[in-house]
Amino acid sequence: MTSRIETARAARQAFIDTVDGLTDAEFDHGTTLCAGWSPRDVLAHLIGTSEIGRYLRAPWRLHKINAEIVAAGRLRDRDEIIAAGRRWAQVPDRAMAGLLLGDVAMHHQDVLRGLGRSRDIPPAEEAAILAEGMSLTLQKLQPTLLRYRVEPTNGIGRPRGRGIVVRGTAEALGLWLGGRDISDVEIGSVRPA
């Protein structure tokens, strides 16, 4: 059985392999599903999550902390930030490995989808993307799961919420719940009681 640490490490390494394989133009200026962030910026953000104390001490400053981390990442040479990413990929924090798996997997999809690419997503990562999307709706105090019932169509995760049915893969639903502008979810009618 694969441990949470091994799963988190594999997800991080896969992300680093993806961004390392981009052209310089894609790396520095490519579109992602994170508004205003290039793949370089997403990488800087993910490396920055290893400084979890910053986030825990001031959770109300989440966006400002992210902006500071991304700005600092823009000043780093590509080889330097990729090397830092490879070090980050090797040592996921034991306590946060499962929690941050969703962030890593979701941001991997942000980069790939933004560049018009795809990959086979390991089931553990896809489940983590769905959980991350649900978590983001709660963090933002959005009543999404009171208005919508999300129903995964690929056997990963279980239906959650109530109201208008939204169907799609667990990955697509997680991205949609996380506020990404994607078109591969099907928004239907109110589920019968």
Side-chain angles (χ1 to χ4, degrees):
M1 180 177 211
T2 304
S3 75
R4 290 169 54 154
I5 292 291
E6 291 166 338
T7 300
R9 188 173 292 128
R12 288 176 173 208
Q13 289 172 343
F15 174 76
I16 296 299
D17 289 343
T18 291
V19 295
D20 194 18
L22 300 176
T23 66
D24 287 339
E26 289 171 328
F27 183 76
D28 289 323
H29 308 292
T31 301
T32 71
L33 298 185
C34 300
W37 282 7
S38 69
R40 166 193 284 281
D41 298 333
V42 174
L43 173 58
H45 161 69
L46 288 173
I47 294 169
T49 62
S50 64
E51 298 176 40
I52 197 70
R54 290 177 74 175
Y55 292 98
L56 295 176
R57 284 189 299 275
W60 60 90
R61 294 184 65 236
L62 177 72
H63 296 296
K64 184 172 172 119
I65 293 167
N66 283 339
E68 291 167 358
I69 289 169
V70 166
R74 289 178 181 161
L75 300 176
R76 296 175 90 171
D77 168 274
R78 177 181 175 152
D79 291 338
E80 177 190 354
I81 197 168
I82 291 288
R86 293 227 179 263
R87 288 188 301 277
W88 161 83
Q90 290 303 311
V91 222
D93 180 277
R94 290 187 188 283
M96 303 299 287
L99 177 65
L100 294 178
L101 175 61
D103 194 38
V104 172
M106 182 175 278
H107 282 311
H108 196 166
Q109 294 308 112
D110 289 335
V111 169
L112 288 170
R113 280 175 169 253
L115 295 171
R117 298 181 185 164
S118 64
R119 69 179 175 129
D120 290 331
I121 308 168
E125 287 186 47
E126 190 162 359
I129 292 169
L130 179 58
E132 179 76 3
M134 287 189 279
S135 173
L136 288 171
T137 66
L138 296 174
Q139 289 172 22
K140 296 175 184 177
L141 303 175
Q142 296 173 334
T144 307
L145 293 174
L146 297 175
R147 285 189 246 156
Y148 297 96
R149 176 178 174 81
V150 295
E151 297 183 353
T153 56
N154 60 340
I156 296 176
R158 63 181 178 81
R160 304 276 178 124
R162 61 179 191 208
I164 298 171
V165 174
V166 181
R167 290 187 178 96
T169 64
E171 178 254 1
L173 291 172
L175 291 171
W176 179 78
L177 286 166
R180 276 52 174 190
D181 186 18
I182 61 168
S183 61
D184 51 337
V185 294
E186 177 188 319
I187 301 176
S189 58
V190 175
R191 180 182 169 93

